[in-house]
Amino acid sequence: MAKKNESLGKTVGVVLALCLVCSIVVSGAAIGLKPMQEKNAALDMQKNVLDAAGILKADTDIVETYNQRIDTMVVSLEDLSVKDDVDPTSFSNRKAAGDPETSTKLEKKNDPAGIGTREDLTQIYLVKSESGETTGLVLHIRGQGLWGTMYGLLALEDDFDTVKGVNFYEHSETPGLGGEITNPNWVKSWEGKEVYGEDGNVQFEVVKGGASDEHEVDALSGATLTSNGVEYLIQFWMGENGYGPLLKKLREGELNNG
């Protein structure tokens, strides 16, 4: 019996030792790979921004083009100031939205997008022409779809109203149905649409049966909840509790530094 116990003890000891070694290796790999993962994530976001802005081509040098054509900054959605003391290259909208100290909890009646909290600081991307003139703006948007949160970028022309492009770069919608939010043909149908009506309120809609004016895009076939989610997130982010006041400020002139 003693020999059996000793054998069992040795076996358990070997297993525990292997588990410890594996844990150390995995942890070390995770730490070692983190800078590369962050670099790849940043590159992927640069690509998404260029795509939303209509700049991305098959042969585009992403880093060079991004540095030449995009000015990234962090702004406050509370006092509408540029936060020069916040590094836009390391800032994360998601982290800001998930931190009670850097976000605002939304009442249900003010949260058609179903996001729960709105970040108080956000990255914005000013798009420049090759000659350096500001030609538009790219904004982070997100909202609840059928199966989870849809994350995207909305590009506006320099009137801060007309849609230049949209890119839903992360979602869990059903392939062939709600997943068609990434279909190039549907995405292209957004171009030239206007977010606001003559009264200054958000008038953008996702409609069944065919878009009939400059404020509408077609709903996705067989994906009512996803289509509704897209409409609601635009209504929220372009409204008074989202980017509405910021866009109004941009139309009036330069943002304040803060």
Side-chain angles (χ1 to χ4, degrees):
M1 179 67 73
K3 289 184 178 180
K4 287 185 178 180
N5 288 338
E6 289 177 6
S7 178
L8 179 60
K10 288 180 180 180
T11 301
V12 172
V14 170
V15 171
L16 290 175
L18 284 174
C19 290
L20 178 60
V21 170
C22 290
S23 297
I24 293 173
V25 171
V26 171
S27 298
I31 294 172
L33 291 173
K34 187 175 181 180
M36 183 180 296
Q37 292 170 340
E38 291 177 345
K39 182 179 180 181
N40 289 338
L43 181 64
D44 194 45
M45 183 54 69
Q46 290 178 354
K47 179 181 178 181
N48 290 327
V49 171
L50 294 177
D51 185 34
I55 299 174
L56 185 68
K57 308 298 179 186
D59 59 348
T60 297
D61 184 314
I62 295 174
V63 174
E64 180 180 353
T65 304
Y66 185 90
N67 290 336
Q68 291 177 347
R69 301 287 301 276
I70 305 294
D71 276 341
T72 309
M73 61 184 68
V74 175
V75 301
S76 168
L77 293 178
E78 294 189 305
D79 62 17
L80 308 181
S81 65
V82 178
K83 297 304 179 183
D84 292 326
D85 58 338
V86 179
D87 181 6
T89 62
S90 60
F91 179 83
S92 169
N93 277 50
R94 294 196 196 189
K95 288 182 180 179
D99 186 341
E101 294 186 0
T102 56
S103 64
T104 296
K105 185 177 177 62
L106 299 169
E107 295 182 22
K108 190 172 182 179
K109 64 179 181 180
N110 295 326
D111 186 20
I115 57 176
T117 60
R118 185 215 67 188
E119 57 270 31
D120 296 329
L121 300 180
T122 183
Q123 281 173 323
I124 66 171
Y125 308 89
L126 293 176
V127 183
K128 300 181 295 183
S129 66
E130 293 183 356
S131 61
E133 297 177 350
T134 299
T135 61
L137 176 70
V138 179
L139 301 167
H140 285 277
I141 53 175
R142 74 181 191 281
Q144 189 69 21
L146 175 59
W147 301 114
T149 303
M150 301 177 288
Y151 293 91
L153 294 161
L154 181 69
L156 302 175
E157 301 281 6
D158 59 3
D159 61 358
F160 307 114
D161 179 5
T162 305
V163 176
K164 174 68 175 177
V166 67
N167 178 4
F168 286 100
Y169 59 85
E170 183 179 331
H171 67 86
S172 54
E173 301 306 283
T174 307
L177 296 172
E180 291 296 287
I181 56 175
T182 61
N183 185 309
N185 292 328
W186 189 72
V187 169
K188 190 171 180 59
S189 72
W190 286 59
E191 295 179 11
K193 298 299 181 178
E194 296 177 8
V195 175
Y196 299 100
E198 293 183 1
D199 59 1
N201 294 320
V202 179
Q203 197 167 323
F204 182 90
E205 293 182 290
V206 181
V207 298
K208 292 182 179 180
S212 60
D213 67 26
E214 67 274 11
H215 298 104
E216 300 175 348
V217 296
D218 290 340
L220 297 166
S221 179
T224 299
L225 293 180
T226 302
S227 298
N228 289 344
V230 170
E231 178 177 315
Y232 297 154
L233 71 85
I234 294 296
Q235 289 178 350
F236 172 79
W237 285 108
M238 297 298 105
E240 286 301 307
N241 293 310
Y243 297 119
L246 175 64
L247 295 175
K248 182 179 179 181
K249 189 75 172 180
L250 284 167
R251 293 187 198 100
E252 295 173 348
E254 297 296 324
L255 290 173
N256 298 321
N257 291 327

Short mmCIF file of all heavy atoms in Angstrom, two decimals, residues 7-38:
data_model
loop_
_atom_site.label_atom_id
_atom_site.label_comp_id
_atom_site.label_asym_id
_atom_site.label_seq_id
_atom_site.Cartn_x
_atom_site.Cartn_y
_atom_site.Cartn_z
N SER A 7 3.74 5.94 -5.38
CA SER A 7 3.59 6.04 -6.83
C SER A 7 2.54 7.09 -7.20
O SER A 7 2.74 7.90 -8.11
CB SER A 7 3.18 4.68 -7.39
OG SER A 7 2.98 4.76 -8.79
N LEU A 8 1.42 7.07 -6.46
CA LEU A 8 0.37 8.06 -6.71
C LEU A 8 0.86 9.47 -6.41
O LEU A 8 0.61 10.42 -7.16
CB LEU A 8 -0.84 7.73 -5.84
CG LEU A 8 -2.04 8.70 -5.96
CD1 LEU A 8 -2.57 8.73 -7.39
CD2 LEU A 8 -3.15 8.30 -4.98
N GLY A 9 1.61 9.58 -5.32
CA GLY A 9 2.15 10.89 -4.96
C GLY A 9 3.10 11.42 -6.01
O GLY A 9 3.09 12.62 -6.35
N LYS A 10 3.94 10.55 -6.52
CA LYS A 10 4.88 10.97 -7.57
C LYS A 10 4.14 11.40 -8.83
O LYS A 10 4.49 12.38 -9.48
CB LYS A 10 5.84 9.83 -7.90
CG LYS A 10 6.87 9.55 -6.81
CD LYS A 10 7.77 8.40 -7.22
CE LYS A 10 8.81 8.12 -6.13
NZ LYS A 10 9.70 7.00 -6.49
N THR A 11 3.09 10.62 -9.17
CA THR A 11 2.29 10.96 -10.36
C THR A 11 1.64 12.33 -10.23
O THR A 11 1.68 13.16 -11.15
CB THR A 11 1.19 9.90 -10.59
OG1 THR A 11 1.81 8.62 -10.76
CG2 THR A 11 0.37 10.23 -11.83
N VAL A 12 1.04 12.56 -9.05
CA VAL A 12 0.40 13.86 -8.81
C VAL A 12 1.44 14.97 -8.84
O VAL A 12 1.22 16.05 -9.39
CB VAL A 12 -0.34 13.85 -7.45
CG1 VAL A 12 -0.82 15.25 -7.10
CG2 VAL A 12 -1.50 12.88 -7.48
N GLY A 13 2.60 14.70 -8.27
CA GLY A 13 3.66 15.69 -8.27
C GLY A 13 4.12 16.05 -9.66
O GLY A 13 4.36 17.22 -9.99
N VAL A 14 4.27 15.02 -10.51
CA VAL A 14 4.68 15.26 -11.90
C VAL A 14 3.63 16.08 -12.64
O VAL A 14 3.93 17.02 -13.38
CB VAL A 14 4.92 13.92 -12.63
CG1 VAL A 14 5.11 14.16 -14.13
CG2 VAL A 14 6.15 13.23 -12.06
N VAL A 15 2.35 15.71 -12.42
CA VAL A 15 1.26 16.45 -13.09
C VAL A 15 1.24 17.91 -12.66
O VAL A 15 1.12 18.82 -13.48
CB VAL A 15 -0.10 15.79 -12.77
CG1 VAL A 15 -1.25 16.67 -13.26
CG2 VAL A 15 -0.19 14.41 -13.41
N LEU A 16 1.39 18.14 -11.35
CA LEU A 16 1.39 19.51 -10.84
C LEU A 16 2.58 20.29 -11.37
O LEU A 16 2.46 21.47 -11.73
CB LEU A 16 1.41 19.51 -9.31
CG LEU A 16 0.14 19.01 -8.61
CD1 LEU A 16 0.35 18.95 -7.11
CD2 LEU A 16 -1.03 19.93 -8.95
N ALA A 17 3.73 19.63 -11.46
CA ALA A 17 4.92 20.29 -11.99
C ALA A 17 4.73 20.66 -13.45
O ALA A 17 5.09 21.77 -13.89
CB ALA A 17 6.14 19.38 -11.83
N LEU A 18 4.14 19.73 -14.21
CA LEU A 18 3.88 20.02 -15.63
C LEU A 18 2.89 21.17 -15.79
O LEU A 18 3.06 22.04 -16.65
CB LEU A 18 3.33 18.76 -16.31
CG LEU A 18 4.35 17.66 -16.64
CD1 LEU A 18 3.65 16.42 -17.17
CD2 LEU A 18 5.37 18.16 -17.67
N CYS A 19 1.87 21.17 -14.94
CA CYS A 19 0.88 22.25 -14.98
C CYS A 19 1.54 23.59 -14.68
O CYS A 19 1.25 24.61 -15.34
CB CYS A 19 -0.25 22.00 -13.99
SG CYS A 19 -1.34 20.64 -14.44
N LEU A 20 2.43 23.59 -13.70
CA LEU A 20 3.12 24.82 -13.32
C LEU A 20 4.00 25.31 -14.46
O LEU A 20 4.00 26.50 -14.80
CB LEU A 20 3.96 24.59 -12.07
CG LEU A 20 4.79 25.79 -11.57
CD1 LEU A 20 3.86 26.95 -11.23
CD2 LEU A 20 5.61 25.38 -10.36
N VAL A 21 4.75 24.39 -15.05
CA VAL A 21 5.62 24.76 -16.17
C VAL A 21 4.81 25.29 -17.34
O VAL A 21 5.15 26.32 -17.95
CB VAL A 21 6.47 23.55 -16.62
CG1 VAL A 21 7.20 23.86 -17.93
CG2 VAL A 21 7.47 23.17 -15.54
N CYS A 22 3.71 24.60 -17.66
CA CYS A 22 2.85 25.04 -18.77
C CYS A 22 2.26 26.42 -18.49
O CYS A 22 2.17 27.27 -19.39
CB CYS A 22 1.73 24.03 -19.01
SG CYS A 22 2.28 22.46 -19.70
N SER A 23 1.85 26.65 -17.25
CA SER A 23 1.29 27.95 -16.89
C SER A 23 2.31 29.05 -17.07
O SER A 23 2.00 30.15 -17.57
CB SER A 23 0.80 27.93 -15.43
OG SER A 23 -0.23 27.01 -15.26
N ILE A 24 3.54 28.78 -16.65
CA ILE A 24 4.61 29.77 -16.79
C ILE A 24 4.89 30.06 -18.27
O ILE A 24 5.04 31.21 -18.67
CB ILE A 24 5.89 29.28 -16.09
CG1 ILE A 24 5.67 29.22 -14.57
CG2 ILE A 24 7.07 30.18 -16.42
CD1 ILE A 24 6.81 28.58 -13.81
N VAL A 25 4.92 28.98 -19.08
CA VAL A 25 5.18 29.15 -20.51
C VAL A 25 4.07 29.96 -21.18
O VAL A 25 4.32 30.89 -21.95
CB VAL A 25 5.32 27.78 -21.20
CG1 VAL A 25 5.36 27.95 -22.72
CG2 VAL A 25 6.58 27.08 -20.73
N VAL A 26 2.81 29.60 -20.86
CA VAL A 26 1.67 30.30 -21.45
C VAL A 26 1.65 31.76 -21.02
O VAL A 26 1.43 32.67 -21.84
CB VAL A 26 0.34 29.61 -21.07
CG1 VAL A 26 -0.85 30.47 -21.50
CG2 VAL A 26 0.26 28.23 -21.71
N SER A 27 1.88 32.00 -19.73
CA SER A 27 1.89 33.39 -19.24
C SER A 27 3.00 34.19 -19.88
O SER A 27 2.81 35.35 -20.29
CB SER A 27 2.06 33.40 -17.71
OG SER A 27 0.98 32.75 -17.08
N GLY A 28 4.17 33.57 -19.98
CA GLY A 28 5.30 34.25 -20.61
C GLY A 28 5.03 34.58 -22.06
O GLY A 28 5.37 35.66 -22.56
N ALA A 29 4.41 33.62 -22.77
CA ALA A 29 4.08 33.84 -24.17
C ALA A 29 3.07 34.97 -24.33
O ALA A 29 3.18 35.82 -25.23
CB ALA A 29 3.53 32.57 -24.79
N ALA A 30 2.08 34.98 -23.43
CA ALA A 30 1.05 36.03 -23.50
C ALA A 30 1.66 37.41 -23.28
O ALA A 30 1.34 38.37 -23.99
CB ALA A 30 -0.03 35.76 -22.46
N ILE A 31 2.55 37.49 -22.30
CA ILE A 31 3.21 38.77 -22.01
C ILE A 31 4.11 39.17 -23.16
O ILE A 31 4.14 40.33 -23.59
CB ILE A 31 4.01 38.67 -20.70
CG1 ILE A 31 3.06 38.48 -19.51
CG2 ILE A 31 4.87 39.92 -20.49
CD1 ILE A 31 3.76 38.18 -18.20
N GLY A 32 4.86 38.19 -23.68
CA GLY A 32 5.78 38.48 -24.76
C GLY A 32 5.10 38.88 -26.05
O GLY A 32 5.61 39.69 -26.82
N LEU A 33 3.91 38.29 -26.29
CA LEU A 33 3.18 38.57 -27.53
C LEU A 33 2.30 39.80 -27.44
O LEU A 33 1.80 40.28 -28.46
CB LEU A 33 2.32 37.36 -27.90
CG LEU A 33 3.06 36.10 -28.35
CD1 LEU A 33 2.09 34.96 -28.51
CD2 LEU A 33 3.82 36.35 -29.65
N LYS A 34 2.08 40.32 -26.23
CA LYS A 34 1.16 41.45 -26.06
C LYS A 34 1.52 42.66 -26.91
O LYS A 34 0.64 43.24 -27.57
CB LYS A 34 1.09 41.85 -24.58
CG LYS A 34 0.02 42.92 -24.32
CD LYS A 34 -0.12 43.21 -22.83
CE LYS A 34 -1.20 44.26 -22.59
NZ LYS A 34 -1.37 44.57 -21.16
N PRO A 35 2.80 43.10 -26.95
CA PRO A 35 3.13 44.25 -27.80
C PRO A 35 2.80 44.02 -29.27
O PRO A 35 2.31 44.92 -29.95
CB PRO A 35 4.65 44.41 -27.58
CG PRO A 35 4.90 43.81 -26.25
CD PRO A 35 3.96 42.65 -26.16
N MET A 36 3.06 42.80 -29.75
CA MET A 36 2.74 42.48 -31.14
C MET A 36 1.24 42.48 -31.38
O MET A 36 0.76 42.97 -32.40
CB MET A 36 3.32 41.10 -31.51
CG MET A 36 3.11 40.71 -32.97
SD MET A 36 3.79 39.09 -33.35
CE MET A 36 5.54 39.40 -33.07
N GLN A 37 0.48 41.95 -30.41
CA GLN A 37 -0.97 41.94 -30.53
C GLN A 37 -1.54 43.36 -30.56
O GLN A 37 -2.45 43.67 -31.33
CB GLN A 37 -1.58 41.14 -29.38
CG GLN A 37 -1.28 39.65 -29.43
CD GLN A 37 -1.67 38.92 -28.16
OE1 GLN A 37 -1.84 39.53 -27.10
NE2 GLN A 37 -1.84 37.61 -28.25
N GLU A 38 -1.00 44.22 -29.69
CA GLU A 38 -1.45 45.61 -29.66
C GLU A 38 -1.11 46.33 -30.96
O GLU A 38 -1.90 47.12 -31.47
CB GLU A 38 -0.81 46.32 -28.47
CG GLU A 38 -1.32 45.83 -27.12
CD GLU A 38 -0.62 46.50 -25.95
OE1 GLU A 38 0.44 47.12 -26.19
OE2 GLU A 38 -1.14 46.41 -24.82
#
